[in-house]
Amino acid sequence: MPPRTTRPFRFRFLRPCPPRGLAAGHWFLLVLLLSSIPATFSLHASPETPIPTRDLEFFEKHVRPLLISRCYECHSTEAKNLKGGLRLDSRQGWSHGGDSGPAIQPGDPDASLLIQAVRYSNPDLEMPPRERLPETELAILDDWVRRGAPDPRESTTTPPAPRGIDLESGRQFWSYQPPRKHTVPEVRRADWPRNDIDRFLLSRLESEGLSPANDAAKATLVRRAWFDLAGLPPTPEQIDAFLNDSSPDAWERLIDRLLASPRFGERWGRHWLDVARFGESVTLRGLVFQEAWRYRDYVIEAFNRDLPFNQFIREQIAGDLIGGGTVAERQRRLIATTFLALGNSNLEEQDKPQLRMDVVDEQLDTIGKAFLGQTIGCARCHDHKFDPIPTRDYYALAGILRGARTLEDANVSKWIEMPLPLPPQQERELKSHEDAVAALQSRLDAARKHAKQLAASADSSLPGPPVIAASDLPGIVIDDAHARRVGEWMLSQYSGRYIGAGYLHDLNRDKGAKTLTFHPSLPGPGQYEVRLAYSHDANRARAVPVTILSAEGETVVHVNQQEPPPIDGRFVSLGEFHFEQNNQGYVLVSNDGTDGHVIADAVQFLPINLKTGTPASTPPDEPRKPEPPELNAQLARETRAANDEVSRLEAELKRLTTAGPVRPMVMSVLQESPDESGDLRVHIRGSVHNLGEPAPRGFLQVISRETAPRIPESESGRRQLADWLASSDNPLPARVVVNRVWLWIFGAGLVRTPDNFGTTGELPTHPELLDTLAVRFMEEGWSIKWLVREITTSRAYRLATADAALEADPDNRLLSHMNRRRLDAESIRDAMLLAAGRLQLDMGGPTIRPGTSTDYGYAHQNARRSVYVPVLRNSLPELFEVFDFADPSMVTGQRNVSTVAPQALFLMNHPFVMEQARAAAQRLLDEPGMTPEERITRAYRITLGRPPLHGERRITREFLDTHPDADEPTQLTEPWARLHQALFSSIDFRYLN
């Protein structure tokens, strides 16, 4: 059961004396914050707290199978020899514990003996004794205990007899019955209802002896409608226009204008993105989904154009398999299938069959909750413990989805991206550009091959073997293996000519962030020639900065690594330098400011007396050997010309690819051929390596009636799955979406477990109303806008938030009044930006900064609507995290609404809030011809949607009087900024009446 809704007190000013030493501005803000702390009323406490649905699902899906497979052999009623007196097959078993006491301390893994045993952190308790559990299973048990060890199992003296699922009995449950229209009830107050919704609600109230609250004030209603339908506050001018409209259909026309606004799709599209677990990165490694934004835009457009919801379902499940239509329609349907690919998968899983089934499981879990309100995932390892879903049904559906490949297997697997279809003219232009790029690339490849052949010819004429040990060279040679590295350098042997085990290169990225430092250990002070070894090529940097620190100071030499090294084809001289014997000297190779790959193979410190190659033991009067001959001059010129041609072609290719069109890509799934997909076998206990009986592809038997589609042998069944999910004969989808729309408008659904219409979910408070709306919704073409209009034009939606029946109905399940609701994180952010005059209303397009490959530490800085803020799973904006943004890795039908201290601290201290407050103040001060009193009124109307009350005006004026106007503009802005920050922190800003 969801937590009881907090009931905030109304925003009121207090006027105690400020504590000595507290600045007036801070005291003013503190007073407003204190006056806006919601109070939670707890009228009664149940001795038996039901297990939350999410925790129950976690236990059934992960914990129970793990305990059965790992622990029951020794710690259950089935054990031949119960070990340690401990049973883990019931809640009472682990709570009572064994010889060592209770096995679990709910909420405290570190203090729980069970966790100590499986972690092997207690030398006296190491379980299982044969081998330690894998980290993934340890994490499951740790998470379970941290959640409070939710466990629905009751103790029994003997194990229960196995039972099958009675599907016929299961079909009698309310949600598996087809919805039907009910007769609209008669009511005593016949003049009160505005439509049939009101009649159903009023009839229930009258049967309980209750009456509805009064109608809300018009100013309250216009703010309510704007936030609910557009996600933004109305401007003072928009409020006035509605207040001054006395026509009988003023409300309906306001609703119609909001439904027609593009802001509607942004607001309602965000609701669906919660359900679709929309995210633009994966947690592991923080890899970014560069094309996920297209799905976000598809959803917004679908709500704006009122795409029939059954078609919306079909396109997300099998849009790539629906034939026909225009190019734009085919693009849209392909983008819709991104829905299947958005899961937060463990891409590093090396057991690829297991990874593939984990992806299918995540897809099934999402589809089940999003469209059916069913926890299908609980049947992966065993028959569903509560709902009529046998494991066979799970694998019948899994066989369908397994035919849609979501990942490309690799060490770190990769999601699939494919090109979007394009109109013929655009396709011709793109093909022409791609042909030009391919032709230029071919010329570049040939030029590189020629340059490499010349380099090989030069190398073959060089003395010495292509690979040589550092110890075989004269002087003091420091190989790259012994250099101190900063940044990522890659070892390579590609050139075939190097010293030691290979050479290092900087991967041609992170310029300015990488260095290699070569510290010599010199035998004595003296003059040394310093040489750098590298392998040349056309893709090398032309000006590599090399710093030499000697007794004479620092010297920087730039090396063109496209040129062949002139000394033995290995080294270039950096000059002669004097070094002391204190080991303070070094040579530092950097990639700062370079335009290609930076190479470092070795650094040679050659004493001047060895410069001609004389061994160190050679007496000084012995004749020196001549230096090795220089490279052939003609070959050097040809090599230089070949490298120049490669550089020219590389630059030309870069210009062509940058200036030309780019083929748009989409994140989607790839349908396997019939030979590679088909029926699955049941995976015993969920293991891909332990297969049971076949499970022919199909649908949930409990709701698959005669009209369920047949799956041809030549197809995977995904198109038929989409049709089944979107069918009017399926009793669940219309009910589920109608309930979601009701929840998004009233703050609570007619079924208060929106993702669970199974036996562990709540029953509907108004079943006849839910069914009637579901049938009418389908009759009206599955139109979301029709449904929203029907609900928002009811009188029930226009009621005040006064607690009309607090004692009789503390949770307002009978809808005697409107629920007071806190704004979600997006509305809070957007309202601040709007008040500051900074909100940008551009629609659509990618919003992750170009070049972002991982989401760690991402800085959210744009001022677009919050629906366009990148949803990065490792880096959400702090405002989102504080104000209960949906977990982007899970289906979230209803967000948590918390009241915690970090929210107040955020509003008091966060730079974003203070920045918007200053901007709002400056915007207010820039409006010409306004008196201070008019500014106060304007500030309240912009932020709260109403003028200040008498007491609020008085305390605001007194606060501003403590800051007399000054010549310095910042001194004038500061008190008005503090006023706006206080208003942002107030309860009337954060809550919707």
Side-chain angles (χ1 to χ4, degrees), residues 478 483-487 489 512-520 530-532 543-550 553-559 561 574 577 579 584-594 598-605:
I478 305 166
R484 185 167 62 85
R485 306 181 194 183
V486 173
W489 294 80
K514 301 183 181 184
T515 60
L516 291 171
T517 306
F518 297 80
H519 278 283
V530 180
R531 296 174 175 178
L532 172 69
V544 176
V546 183
T547 303
I548 304 97
L549 177 66
S550 65
E554 277 191 2
T555 302
V556 178
V557 177
H558 289 84
V559 177
Q561 295 192 340
L574 303 176
F577 304 91
F579 290 91
Q584 295 299 309
Y586 61 76
V587 173
L588 182 144
V589 179
S590 170
N591 72 344
D592 187 25
T594 54
V598 172
I599 307 297
D601 189 0
V603 173
Q604 183 182 41
F605 293 82

Coordinates of all heavy atoms in Angstrom, one line a residue, residues 478 483-487 489 512-520 530-532 543-550 553-559 561 574 577 579 584-594 598-605:
I478 N 66.4 4.8 -21.7 CA 65.2 4.5 -20.9 C 64.1 4.1 -21.8 O 63.6 5.0 -22.7 CB 64.8 5.8 -20.1 CG1 66.1 6.2 -19.3 CG2 63.6 5.5 -19.2 CD1 65.9 7.6 -18.7
A483 N 58.9 4.7 -18.3 CA 58.6 6.1 -18.2 C 57.4 6.3 -17.2 O 56.5 5.4 -17.2 CB 58.2 6.7 -19.6
R484 N 57.3 7.4 -16.6 CA 56.1 7.7 -15.7 C 55.0 8.3 -16.5 O 55.2 9.3 -17.2 CB 56.5 8.7 -14.6 CG 55.4 8.9 -13.6 CD 55.9 9.6 -12.3 NE 56.4 11.0 -12.7 CZ 55.7 12.1 -12.8 NH1 54.4 12.0 -12.6 NH2 56.2 13.2 -13.1
R485 N 53.8 7.6 -16.5 CA 52.7 8.0 -17.4 C 51.7 8.8 -16.6 O 51.4 8.5 -15.5 CB 52.0 6.7 -17.9 CG 53.0 5.7 -18.6 CD 52.2 4.5 -19.1 NE 53.1 3.4 -19.5 CZ 52.7 2.3 -20.0 NH1 51.4 2.1 -20.3 NH2 53.5 1.3 -20.3
V486 N 51.2 9.8 -17.3 CA 50.0 10.5 -16.9 C 49.0 10.4 -18.0 O 49.3 10.8 -19.2 CB 50.3 12.0 -16.6 CG1 49.0 12.8 -16.3 CG2 51.3 12.1 -15.4
G487 N 47.8 9.9 -17.7 CA 46.8 9.7 -18.8 C 46.9 8.3 -19.4 O 47.8 7.5 -19.0
W489 N 47.9 5.7 -22.1 CA 48.8 5.5 -23.3 C 48.6 4.1 -23.7 O 48.5 3.2 -22.9 CB 50.2 5.8 -22.9 CG 50.5 7.3 -22.6 CD1 50.2 7.9 -21.5 CD2 51.0 8.2 -23.5 NE1 50.6 9.2 -21.6 CE2 51.1 9.4 -22.8 CE3 51.5 8.2 -24.9 CZ2 51.6 10.6 -23.4 CZ3 52.0 9.3 -25.4 CH2 52.0 10.5 -24.7
G512 N 46.5 17.5 -24.2 CA 46.9 18.3 -23.1 C 46.8 17.6 -21.8 O 47.1 18.2 -20.7
A513 N 46.3 16.4 -21.8 CA 46.1 15.7 -20.5 C 47.0 14.5 -20.3 O 46.9 13.8 -19.4 CB 44.6 15.2 -20.4
K514 N 48.0 14.3 -21.2 CA 48.9 13.1 -21.2 C 50.3 13.5 -21.3 O 50.7 14.4 -22.1 CB 48.5 12.2 -22.3 CG 47.1 11.7 -22.3 CD 46.8 10.7 -23.4 CE 45.3 10.2 -23.3 NZ 45.1 9.1 -24.3
T515 N 51.1 12.9 -20.5 CA 52.6 13.1 -20.5 C 53.3 11.8 -20.2 O 52.7 10.9 -19.6 CB 53.1 14.1 -19.5 OG1 52.7 13.7 -18.2 CG2 52.4 15.5 -19.8
L516 N 54.5 11.7 -20.7 CA 55.5 10.6 -20.4 C 56.8 11.3 -19.9 O 57.3 12.1 -20.6 CB 55.8 9.7 -21.6 CG 54.6 8.8 -22.1 CD1 55.0 8.2 -23.4 CD2 54.3 7.8 -21.1
T517 N 57.2 10.8 -18.7 CA 58.4 11.4 -18.1 C 59.5 10.4 -18.0 O 59.3 9.3 -17.4 CB 58.2 12.0 -16.8 OG1 57.1 13.0 -16.9 CG2 59.4 12.8 -16.2
F518 N 60.7 10.7 -18.7 CA 61.8 9.8 -18.7 C 62.9 10.3 -17.7 O 63.5 11.4 -18.0 CB 62.4 9.6 -20.1 CG 61.4 9.0 -21.1 CD1 60.4 9.8 -21.6 CD2 61.5 7.7 -21.4 CE1 59.6 9.2 -22.6 CE2 60.7 7.1 -22.3 CZ 59.7 7.9 -22.9
H519 N 63.1 9.7 -16.6 CA 64.1 10.1 -15.6 C 65.4 9.2 -15.8 O 65.3 8.0 -15.6 CB 63.6 9.9 -14.2 CG 62.7 11.0 -13.7 ND1 63.2 12.3 -13.3 CD2 61.4 11.1 -13.6 CE1 62.2 13.0 -13.0 NE2 61.1 12.4 -13.2
P520 N 66.5 9.8 -16.1 CA 67.8 9.0 -16.3 C 68.5 8.8 -14.9 O 68.4 9.7 -14.1 CB 68.6 9.9 -17.2 CG 68.2 11.3 -16.9 CD 66.7 11.2 -16.5
V530 N 70.9 14.2 -26.1 CA 69.6 13.5 -25.8 C 68.9 13.2 -27.1 O 68.7 14.1 -27.9 CB 68.7 14.5 -24.9 CG1 67.4 13.8 -24.5 CG2 69.5 14.8 -23.6
R531 N 68.5 12.0 -27.2 CA 67.8 11.6 -28.4 C 66.4 10.9 -28.0 O 66.3 10.3 -27.0 CB 68.6 10.5 -29.2 CG 69.9 11.1 -29.7 CD 70.7 9.9 -30.3 NE 72.0 10.4 -30.9 CZ 72.9 9.7 -31.5 NH1 72.7 8.3 -31.5 NH2 74.0 10.2 -32.1
L532 N 65.4 11.2 -28.9 CA 64.1 10.6 -28.7 C 63.9 9.6 -29.8 O 64.0 9.9 -31.0 CB 63.0 11.6 -28.8 CG 61.5 11.1 -28.8 CD1 61.2 10.5 -27.4 CD2 60.6 12.3 -29.1
A543 N 54.1 18.4 -34.5 CA 54.9 19.3 -33.5 C 54.7 18.8 -32.1 O 53.9 19.4 -31.3 CB 54.4 20.7 -33.7
V544 N 55.3 17.7 -31.8 CA 55.2 17.1 -30.5 C 56.1 17.9 -29.5 O 57.4 17.9 -29.7 CB 55.6 15.6 -30.5 CG1 55.6 15.1 -29.0 CG2 54.7 14.8 -31.4
P545 N 55.6 18.5 -28.4 CA 56.5 19.2 -27.5 C 57.2 18.3 -26.6 O 56.6 17.5 -25.9 CB 55.5 20.1 -26.7 CG 54.2 19.4 -26.8 CD 54.2 18.6 -28.1
V546 N 58.5 18.4 -26.6 CA 59.4 17.6 -25.7 C 60.2 18.5 -24.9 O 60.9 19.4 -25.4 CB 60.3 16.7 -26.5 CG1 61.1 15.8 -25.6 CG2 59.5 15.8 -27.5
T547 N 60.0 18.4 -23.5 CA 60.7 19.3 -22.6 C 61.9 18.6 -22.0 O 61.8 17.4 -21.5 CB 59.8 19.7 -21.5 OG1 58.6 20.3 -22.1 CG2 60.4 20.7 -20.5
I548 N 63.1 19.2 -22.0 CA 64.3 18.7 -21.5 C 64.7 19.5 -20.3 O 64.9 20.8 -20.4 CB 65.5 18.6 -22.5 CG1 65.1 17.8 -23.7 CG2 66.7 18.0 -21.8 CD1 64.6 18.7 -24.9
L549 N 64.7 19.0 -19.1 CA 65.2 19.7 -17.9 C 66.6 19.2 -17.6 O 66.9 18.1 -17.3 CB 64.3 19.4 -16.7 CG 64.8 20.1 -15.4 CD1 64.7 21.6 -15.5 CD2 64.0 19.6 -14.2
S550 N 67.6 20.2 -17.7 CA 69.0 19.9 -17.5 C 69.5 20.9 -16.5 O 68.8 21.7 -15.9 CB 69.8 20.0 -18.8 OG 69.8 21.3 -19.2
G553 N 68.6 24.4 -17.2 CA 67.2 24.9 -17.2 C 66.3 24.0 -18.1 O 66.7 23.0 -18.6
E554 N 65.1 24.6 -18.4 CA 64.2 23.8 -19.3 C 64.3 24.3 -20.7 O 64.5 25.5 -21.0 CB 62.7 24.1 -18.9 CG 62.3 23.2 -17.7 CD 60.7 23.3 -17.5 OE1 60.1 24.1 -18.3 OE2 60.2 22.7 -16.6
T555 N 64.3 23.3 -21.6 CA 64.3 23.6 -23.1 C 63.2 22.8 -23.7 O 63.0 21.6 -23.4 CB 65.6 23.1 -23.7 OG1 66.7 23.9 -23.1 CG2 65.7 23.4 -25.2
V556 N 62.4 23.4 -24.6 CA 61.3 22.7 -25.3 C 61.7 22.6 -26.7 O 62.0 23.6 -27.4 CB 60.0 23.5 -25.1 CG1 58.9 22.7 -25.9 CG2 59.6 23.6 -23.6
V557 N 61.6 21.4 -27.2 CA 61.9 21.0 -28.6 C 60.6 20.4 -29.2 O 60.0 19.6 -28.6 CB 63.1 20.1 -28.8 CG1 63.3 19.7 -30.2 CG2 64.3 20.7 -28.1
H558 N 60.3 20.8 -30.4 CA 59.1 20.3 -31.1 C 59.6 19.3 -32.2 O 60.4 19.6 -33.0 CB 58.2 21.4 -31.7 CG 57.5 22.2 -30.7 ND1 58.1 23.3 -30.0 CD2 56.2 22.0 -30.2 CE1 57.2 23.8 -29.2 NE2 56.1 23.0 -29.2
V559 N 59.0 18.1 -32.2 CA 59.4 17.0 -33.1 C 58.3 16.7 -34.1 O 57.1 16.5 -33.7 CB 59.8 15.8 -32.3 CG1 60.2 14.6 -33.2 CG2 60.9 16.1 -31.3
Q561 N 56.7 14.1 -36.0 CA 56.8 12.7 -36.0 C 56.2 12.1 -37.3 O 56.2 10.8 -37.4 CB 56.1 12.1 -34.8 CG 56.8 12.5 -33.5 CD 56.3 11.7 -32.3 OE1 55.2 11.1 -32.3 NE2 57.1 11.7 -31.3
L574 N 67.7 15.8 -29.8 CA 67.0 16.9 -29.1 C 68.0 18.0 -28.8 O 67.6 19.1 -28.3 CB 66.2 16.4 -27.9 CG 65.2 15.4 -28.1 CD1 64.6 14.9 -26.8 CD2 64.1 15.8 -29.1
F577 N 73.1 18.7 -23.8 CA 72.8 19.3 -22.5 C 73.7 18.9 -21.4 O 74.2 17.7 -21.4 CB 71.3 19.0 -22.1 CG 70.3 19.4 -23.1 CD1 70.0 18.4 -24.1 CD2 69.8 20.6 -23.2 CE1 69.0 18.8 -25.1 CE2 68.8 21.0 -24.1 CZ 68.5 20.0 -25.1
F579 N 74.2 17.7 -17.6 CA 73.4 17.1 -16.5 C 74.3 16.9 -15.3 O 75.5 16.5 -15.5 CB 72.8 15.8 -16.9 CG 71.7 15.9 -17.9 CD1 72.0 15.9 -19.3 CD2 70.4 16.1 -17.5 CE1 71.0 16.0 -20.2 CE2 69.4 16.2 -18.5 CZ 69.6 16.2 -19.8
Q584 N 68.0 14.9 -11.1 CA 67.0 15.9 -11.2 C 66.5 16.2 -12.6 O 65.5 16.7 -12.8 CB 67.4 17.2 -10.5 CG 67.7 17.1 -9.0 CD 66.5 16.7 -8.3 OE1 65.4 17.4 -8.4 NE2 66.6 15.7 -7.4
G585 N 67.3 15.7 -13.6 CA 67.0 16.0 -14.9 C 65.9 15.0 -15.4 O 65.7 13.9 -14.9
Y586 N 65.3 15.4 -16.5 CA 64.3 14.5 -17.1 C 64.0 14.9 -18.5 O 64.3 16.1 -19.0 CB 63.0 14.4 -16.3 CG 62.3 15.7 -16.2 CD1 61.5 16.2 -17.2 CD2 62.3 16.4 -15.0 CE1 60.8 17.4 -17.1 CE2 61.6 17.6 -14.8 CZ 60.9 18.1 -15.9 OH 60.2 19.3 -15.7
V587 N 63.3 14.1 -19.3 CA 62.7 14.4 -20.6 C 61.2 14.1 -20.5 O 60.8 13.0 -20.1 CB 63.4 13.6 -21.7 CG1 62.7 13.9 -23.0 CG2 64.9 14.0 -21.8
L588 N 60.4 15.1 -20.9 CA 59.0 15.0 -20.8 C 58.3 15.1 -22.1 O 58.5 16.1 -22.8 CB 58.4 16.0 -19.8 CG 56.9 15.9 -19.5 CD1 56.6 16.3 -18.1 CD2 56.1 16.9 -20.4
V589 N 57.6 14.1 -22.6 CA 56.9 14.1 -23.8 C 55.4 14.4 -23.5 O 54.8 13.6 -22.8 CB 57.1 12.7 -24.6 CG1 56.3 12.8 -25.9 CG2 58.5 12.4 -24.8
S590 N 54.9 15.4 -24.2 CA 53.5 15.8 -23.9 C 52.7 15.7 -25.2 O 53.2 15.7 -26.3 CB 53.4 17.2 -23.4 OG 52.1 17.7 -23.4
N591 N 51.3 15.6 -25.1 CA 50.5 15.6 -26.3 C 49.7 17.0 -26.3 O 48.7 17.1 -27.1 CB 49.5 14.4 -26.3 CG 48.4 14.5 -25.3 OD1 48.5 15.3 -24.3 ND2 47.4 13.7 -25.5
D592 N 50.2 17.9 -25.6 CA 49.5 19.2 -25.6 C 49.6 19.9 -26.9 O 50.6 20.1 -27.5 CB 50.1 20.1 -24.5 CG 49.3 21.4 -24.2 OD1 48.1 21.4 -24.5 OD2 49.9 22.4 -23.8
G593 N 48.4 20.3 -27.5 CA 48.3 21.1 -28.7 C 48.7 20.3 -29.9 O 48.9 20.9 -31.0
T594 N 48.7 19.0 -29.9 CA 49.2 18.2 -31.0 C 48.0 17.8 -31.9 O 46.8 17.9 -31.5 CB 49.9 16.9 -30.6 OG1 49.0 16.2 -29.7 CG2 51.2 17.2 -29.8
V598 N 50.7 10.9 -30.9 CA 52.0 11.2 -30.3 C 52.6 9.9 -29.9 O 52.0 9.1 -29.2 CB 51.8 12.1 -29.1 CG1 53.2 12.3 -28.3 CG2 51.3 13.5 -29.5
I599 N 53.9 9.7 -30.4 CA 54.6 8.4 -30.2 C 55.8 8.7 -29.3 O 56.5 9.7 -29.4 CB 55.1 7.9 -31.5 CG1 53.9 7.8 -32.5 CG2 55.8 6.5 -31.3 CD1 52.8 6.8 -32.1
A600 N 56.1 7.7 -28.4 CA 57.3 7.7 -27.6 C 57.8 6.3 -27.5 O 57.1 5.4 -27.0 CB 57.1 8.3 -26.3
D601 N 59.0 6.0 -27.9 CA 59.6 4.6 -27.9 C 60.7 4.5 -26.8 O 60.6 3.6 -26.0 CB 60.2 4.3 -29.2 CG 60.5 2.8 -29.3 OD1 60.4 2.1 -28.3 OD2 61.0 2.4 -30.4
A602 N 61.6 5.5 -26.8 CA 62.7 5.5 -25.8 C 63.4 6.8 -25.8 O 63.2 7.6 -26.8 CB 63.7 4.3 -26.1
V603 N 64.1 7.1 -24.8 CA 65.0 8.3 -24.7 C 66.4 7.8 -24.4 O 66.6 7.0 -23.5 CB 64.5 9.3 -23.7 CG1 65.5 10.4 -23.5 CG2 63.1 9.8 -24.0
Q604 N 67.3 8.3 -25.2 CA 68.8 7.9 -25.1 C 69.6 9.1 -24.6 O 69.5 10.2 -25.2 CB 69.3 7.5 -26.4 CG 70.7 7.0 -26.4 CD 71.2 6.5 -27.8 OE1 70.9 7.2 -28.8 NE2 71.9 5.4 -27.9
F605 N 70.3 8.9 -23.5 CA 71.3 9.9 -23.0 C 72.7 9.4 -23.4 O 73.2 8.5 -22.8 CB 71.1 10.1 -21.5 CG 69.8 10.7 -21.1 CD1 68.7 9.9 -21.0 CD2 69.7 12.0 -20.8 CE1 67.5 10.4 -20.6 CE2 68.5 12.6 -20.4 CZ 67.4 11.8 -20.3

